[in-house]
Amino acid sequence: MTKQTGALAWVLMAVLSLIWGSSFILIKRGLDVFSAGEVGAIRIIAASTFLLPFAIKGLKNVQRKDWVLLLCVGLFGSFIPAFLFAKAQTQIPSSVAGILNALTPLFTMIIGAVFYSQKFTAKTVLGLIIGFGGTVVLILAGTGGDLSALNYYALLVVLATIFYGANLNLIKFKIPDLRARTITSISLMLVGPLAIAYLFIMTPFVDKLASEEGAYFSL
């Protein structure tokens, strides 16, 4: 790896960190206006719409055996966690959600070892243990060291990280031949209609828009 390539990798990592970290704050702000279900659905619809051109372009690379797997990727890696995070953040701070999200590597390792016989080095295990310990310390610090003060909505975030771990292993071991962009865009394309149906049929989203529009024109 050249110095230029290495520097670009660090820049991209920094940008990704900013985008990923800010998502928890944006979820919290979205909850000021919309319900948890609406926020989760809007996130999926926005992502699937933005990536739709890439999904269409990547369709030629998808084989018949990949479709069910890509649907599972969409559900485990995007759809279900989007709703879990939104629901959790109705009762916990965005900072706690971000901290708990750090459990994803731990569950990725556990699921890989249990279901895919994945081998890990001692350094990897030690690093994950240290990371997990740091997460626990931060959680306890946020509750004054009192476990009884822990808001159990945080367990929804833990469940989301379990889905993330399952998703990463699914991609690694079941569809390694597809490009990351193809996997992401097509998996979101598959769950996008589910989010649209939920938002417009199962929530009062349309009524909210109509009332807001009416209030705007009455000014």
Side-chain angles (χ1 to χ4, degrees):
M1 178 182 293
T2 65
K3 290 184 178 181
Q4 185 177 4
T5 304
L8 178 60
W10 280 107
V11 170
L12 292 175
M13 179 63 72
V15 172
L16 179 61
S17 299
L18 289 173
I19 294 173
W20 188 262
S22 64
S23 66
F24 302 108
I25 300 174
L26 294 174
I27 290 171
K28 198 68 173 178
R29 296 285 68 82
L31 290 170
D32 292 337
V33 180
F34 302 107
S35 68
E38 289 168 341
V39 169
I42 291 171
R43 290 184 67 200
I44 297 299
I45 294 169
S48 61
T49 301
F50 178 79
L51 293 174
L52 185 59
F54 299 102
I56 294 173
K57 185 178 180 180
L59 288 175
K60 61 180 182 295
N61 300 317
V62 179
Q63 302 178 31
R64 181 178 298 180
K65 64 180 180 62
D66 296 327
W67 285 107
V68 174
L69 295 173
L70 288 170
L71 176 60
C72 291
V73 168
L75 291 172
F76 296 163
S78 300
F79 189 85
I80 297 175
F83 286 88
L84 291 175
F85 270 102
K87 185 63 177 179
Q89 287 189 231
T90 61
Q91 301 295 328
I92 65 174
S94 56
S95 58
V96 173
I99 291 169
L100 289 173
N101 189 58
L103 293 172
T104 298
L106 176 66
F107 288 117
T108 301
M109 183 190 73
I110 293 174
I111 293 172
V114 172
F115 294 100
Y116 298 98
S117 301
Q118 174 77 348
K119 305 297 182 182
F120 296 93
T121 65
K123 288 183 179 180
T124 301
V125 175
L126 178 61
L128 289 172
I129 291 174
I130 293 173
F132 177 72
T135 303
V136 172
V137 170
L138 289 171
I139 293 172
L140 291 177
T143 60
D146 183 7
L147 280 175
S148 64
L150 178 63
N151 191 316
Y152 288 97
Y153 272 78
L155 295 179
L156 295 176
V157 178
V158 175
L159 180 59
T161 62
I162 294 174
F163 278 112
Y164 281 151
N167 176 62
L168 291 172
N169 280 286
L170 181 64
I171 293 172
K172 180 177 180 180
F173 293 104
K174 296 299 183 181
I175 44 177
D177 53 321
L178 291 178
R179 297 177 62 184
R181 186 173 63 185
T182 300
I183 294 172
T184 303
S185 60
I186 294 181
S187 64
L188 281 167
M189 181 187 72
L190 292 176
V191 297
L194 298 179
I196 293 172
Y198 176 83
L199 182 65
F200 288 97
I201 298 175
M202 304 298 293
T203 74
F205 179 72
V206 175
D207 294 335
K208 285 184 180 179
L209 290 182
S211 62
E212 288 293 331
E213 183 178 354
Y216 175 80
F217 283 110
S218 66
L219 294 177

